[in-house]
């Protein structure tokens, strides 16, 4: 067994910075449309609230259908090739949307954007490029980049649309995607290996185990509902801001203030959730806040300052759940099955985005803007009830230990020894990868005993 330095290598720094930037620019392009499409799509021929909702969410359908196949495809023909194909599809979709003069063409462009479903391939390439000891930090960097991209998109999208129109948003997205292709081939180093990573990629052998876990299903429901209500309300929120006297050109400033304050408000709650092991309580509290805020937005008391109070409450809950749900998933996923659990979780997220946009548009078409908020509040109430009695996950963390070339018999002995270490709750040894996947309780972990097993004796 071997243990290496956790300091980043130059190649790892380039891979992490390049892939995080690539991921962030892609998400920026997807999310910039969110606060502006409903306002500006009225100029498109054939536009209706229902079809605007479909245009908002349809990228989620193609993402959900193709993200796992793209990830598996990258195992066969290479990560960079698949990512490049996905980025080209995303750029083509952006161009189709930029040139669209009908709502049908806009829907086609958004669907084509989503067909560039390279999230799993990007994560797999990052895993190829990083050692086990730094991979968790590398994945956290990707997660941070997504959060930053979402916040920037909410501010930049309205400003850019007011200056260059809705086509300008998509043209910028196409340009950023082409820049990402250059970064992929010129900055991100060639991967030294291409193997399956069970902490990142899909493992078909683990699929049944993950799908039959009620606690993981609750998390899948949560991310589905969270992105359902997010996509649905943006059929209506831009019009509420206009009714409040805020011009479309200044919506970015409104979102900047709301998102900034909600981020400050979520930080202490997130610390309490992780440090004091109150993560489930904080999640239930966040869902309750989202439910109340949606109900408030659907009632007459949603004008003036109340509008901003409800939106502040919604985004505080949203940001908290975006941060805590993946943490819960990491704690609950079996050893060696985190990538499989995350694949199902992400598919649920994209399906939620598609159905949220579509049904949000339908509710707006049938019952007006208030119906969108009240319908989402009802879904959130059901979601709150489903999560209410969920037990808190144990304070477990994932560890990946690299192994020396040893025989199968030695692997079996190692598995037994690792399982006997205090604080090690679950173990999977994968001989073909020369890796051991552990779930450990850091509060109880006997680090000295673990170090003796993973560090070769000095001679």
């Amino acid at each position: 067994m071997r243990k290496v330095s956790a300091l980043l290598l130059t190649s790892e720094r380039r891979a992490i910075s390049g892939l995080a930037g690539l991921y962030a620019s892609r998400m920026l392009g997807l999310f910039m449309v969110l606060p502006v499409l409903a306002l500006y799509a009225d100029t498109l021929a054939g536009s209706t609230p229902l079809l605007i909702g479909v245009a908002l969410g349809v990228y989620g359908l193609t993402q959900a259908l193709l993200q796992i196949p793209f990830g598996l495809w990258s195992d066969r023909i290479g990560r960079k090739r698949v990512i490049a194909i996905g980025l080209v599809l995303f750029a083509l979709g952006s161009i189709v949307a930029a040139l669209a003069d009908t709502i049908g063409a806009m829907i086609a462009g958004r669907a084509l954007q989503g067909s560039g479903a390279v999230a799993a391939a990007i994560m797999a390439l990052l895993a190829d490029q990083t050692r086990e000891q730094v991979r968790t930090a590398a994945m956290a960097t990707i997660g941070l980049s997504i959060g930053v991209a979402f916040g920037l998109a909410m501010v930049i999208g309205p400003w850019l649309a007011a200056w260059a129109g809705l086509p300008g948003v998509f043209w910028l997205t196409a340009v950023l995607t082409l820049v990402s292709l250059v970064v992929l081939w010129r900055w991100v180093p060639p991967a030294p290996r291409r193997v399956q990573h069970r902490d990142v990629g899909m493992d078909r052998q683990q699929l049944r185990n993950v799908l039959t876990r009620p606690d993981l299903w609750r998390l899948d429901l949560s991310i589905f509902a969270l992105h359902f209500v997010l996509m649905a309300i943006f059929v209506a929120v831009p019009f509420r801001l206009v009714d409040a006297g805020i011009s479309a050109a200044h919506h970015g400033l409104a979102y900047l203030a709301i998102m900034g304050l909600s981020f400050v408000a979520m930080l202490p709650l997130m610390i309490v959730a992780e440090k004091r092991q109150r993560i489930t309580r904080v999640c239930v509290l966040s869902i309750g806040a989202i439910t109340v805020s949606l109900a408030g937005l659907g009632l007459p008391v949603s004008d003036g300052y109340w509008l901003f109070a409800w939106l502040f409450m919604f985004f505080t809950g949203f940001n908290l759940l975006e941060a805590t749900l993946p943490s819960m998933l990491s704690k609950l996923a079996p050893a060696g099955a985190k990538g499989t659990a995350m694949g199902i979780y992400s598919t649920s997220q994209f399906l939620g985005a598609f159905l949220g946009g579509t049904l949000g548009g339908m509710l707006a078409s049938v019952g007006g803007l208030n119906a969108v908020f009240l319908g989402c509040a009802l879904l959130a109430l059901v979601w709150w009830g489903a999560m209410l009695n969920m037990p808190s996950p144990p304070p477990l963390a994932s560890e990946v230990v690299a192994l020396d070339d040893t025989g199968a018999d030695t692997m079996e002995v190692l598995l037994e020894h690792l399982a006997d270490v205090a604080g090690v709750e679950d173990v999977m040894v994968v001989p073909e990868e020369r890796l051991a996947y552990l779930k450990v309780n850091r509060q109880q972990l006997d680090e000295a005993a673990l170090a003796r097993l993973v560090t070769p004796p000095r001679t």
Side-chain angles (χ1 to χ4, degrees):
M1 282 90 34
R2 52 190 166 88
K3 188 177 181 180
V4 296
S5 170
L7 295 176
L8 288 176
L9 305 175
T10 300
S11 61
E12 289 173 333
R13 290 193 187 95
R14 290 180 61 178
I16 293 170
S17 61
L19 293 174
L22 189 156
Y23 206 123
S25 65
R26 181 172 168 275
M27 299 309 295
L28 181 68
L30 284 173
F31 283 130
M32 278 194 299
V33 180
L34 191 58
V36 300
L37 183 60
L39 279 178
Y40 290 86
D42 284 341
T43 60
L44 299 174
S47 179
T48 67
L50 171 59
L51 293 178
I52 289 173
V54 173
L56 269 174
V58 71
Y59 83 92
L61 178 61
T62 46
Q63 285 268 1
L65 293 175
L66 295 175
Q67 65 147 348
I68 291 177
F70 264 58
L72 296 174
W73 194 24
S74 75
D75 291 336
R76 298 180 58 188
I77 71 169
R79 316 289 192 210
K80 282 195 172 184
R81 288 182 181 179
V82 168
I83 294 170
I85 291 170
L87 290 175
V88 169
L89 289 172
F90 187 68
L92 289 174
S94 301
I95 293 171
V96 169
L99 296 174
D101 55 7
T102 68
I103 192 65
M106 177 63 69
I107 291 171
R110 289 284 284 169
L112 191 55
Q113 279 187 317
S115 70
V118 294
I122 291 173
M123 300 301 263
L125 179 58
L126 187 63
D128 290 341
Q129 296 276 14
T130 54
R131 294 160 297 155
E132 295 80 16
Q133 289 76 13
V134 300
R135 190 168 299 151
T136 299
M139 298 302 171
T141 302
I142 294 285
L144 179 63
S145 73
I146 296 171
V148 171
F150 178 75
L152 287 175
M154 298 299 291
V155 176
I156 295 174
W159 171 80
L160 185 60
W163 175 63
L166 187 58
V169 175
F170 289 108
W171 283 121
L172 177 61
T173 300
V175 170
L176 289 175
T177 307
L178 295 177
V179 172
S180 295
L181 279 168
V182 176
V183 171
L184 175 67
W185 291 108
R186 295 294 184 181
W187 179 253
V188 177
R193 63 197 186 282
R194 188 169 74 246
V195 297
Q196 184 181 26
H197 302 278
R198 284 168 172 81
D199 57 334
V200 176
M202 178 69 69
D203 179 10
R204 295 176 184 176
Q205 296 178 349
Q206 294 275 11
L207 195 57
R208 174 175 291 183
N209 185 27
V210 171
L211 285 173
T212 55
R213 287 275 299 267
D215 51 358
L216 294 179
W217 265 108
R218 286 183 174 183
L219 298 184
D220 297 333
L221 167 66
S222 293
I223 197 64
F224 171 89
L226 184 64
H227 281 261
F228 182 105
V229 298
L230 174 71
M231 204 60 57
I233 68 170
F234 272 99
V235 174
V237 165
F239 296 105
R240 279 293 171 80
L241 290 176
V242 170
D243 292 342
I246 301 173
S247 67
H250 295 109
H251 282 194
L253 294 176
Y255 290 126
L256 177 63
I258 293 166
M259 297 292 290
L261 290 173
S262 66
F263 180 78
V264 172
M266 67 163 273
L267 283 178
L269 292 171
M270 190 167 65
I271 293 171
V272 168
E274 292 289 348
K275 296 296 184 182
R276 299 187 181 179
Q277 299 177 32
R278 300 288 189 269
I279 191 166
T280 302
R281 292 184 184 179
V282 169
C283 281
V284 171
L285 176 65
S286 300
I287 299 169
I290 286 175
T291 304
V292 171
S293 66
L294 290 170
L297 286 166
L299 296 175
V301 287
S302 60
D303 298 327
Y305 292 112
W306 277 109
L307 173 63
F308 292 94
W310 296 133
L311 288 174
F312 164 75
M313 184 182 294
F314 175 86
F315 280 109
T316 300
F318 176 86
N319 290 332
L320 262 170
L321 289 166
E322 280 284 280
T324 54
L325 288 175
S327 177
M328 293 178 70
L329 184 76
S330 180
K331 291 177 172 64
L332 290 171
K338 181 181 175 182
T340 304
M342 185 58 72
I344 298 169
Y345 175 90
S346 298
T347 300
S348 302
Q349 171 185 328
F350 294 130
L351 286 175
F354 167 63
L355 291 175
T358 302
L359 296 182
M362 183 182 298
L363 287 171
S365 179
V366 172
L369 300 185
N370 286 345
V372 177
F373 298 116
L374 294 176
C376 287
L378 181 61
L379 172 64
L381 183 62
V382 174
W383 170 26
W384 179 81
M387 291 291 289
L388 186 59
N389 295 320
M390 182 175 179
S392 293
L396 301 183
S398 299
E399 289 279 353
V400 183
V401 177
L403 310 175
D404 284 336
D405 294 337
T406 51
D409 293 340
T410 308
M411 291 285 186
E412 291 296 327
V413 173
L414 173 63
L415 177 62
E416 295 178 4
H417 287 323
L418 287 172
D420 289 338
V421 173
V424 174
E425 301 293 336
D426 193 12
V427 184
M428 172 187 279
V429 174
V430 186
E432 62 269 24
E433 294 181 23
R434 298 297 172 189
L435 294 175
Y437 296 89
L438 313 177
K439 298 302 291 286
V440 301
N441 185 330
R442 296 199 185 281
Q443 297 176 354
Q444 302 172 5
L445 181 63
D446 187 343
E447 295 186 6
L450 182 60
R452 286 194 294 270
L453 288 174
V454 302
T455 305
R458 295 185 178 181
T459 57

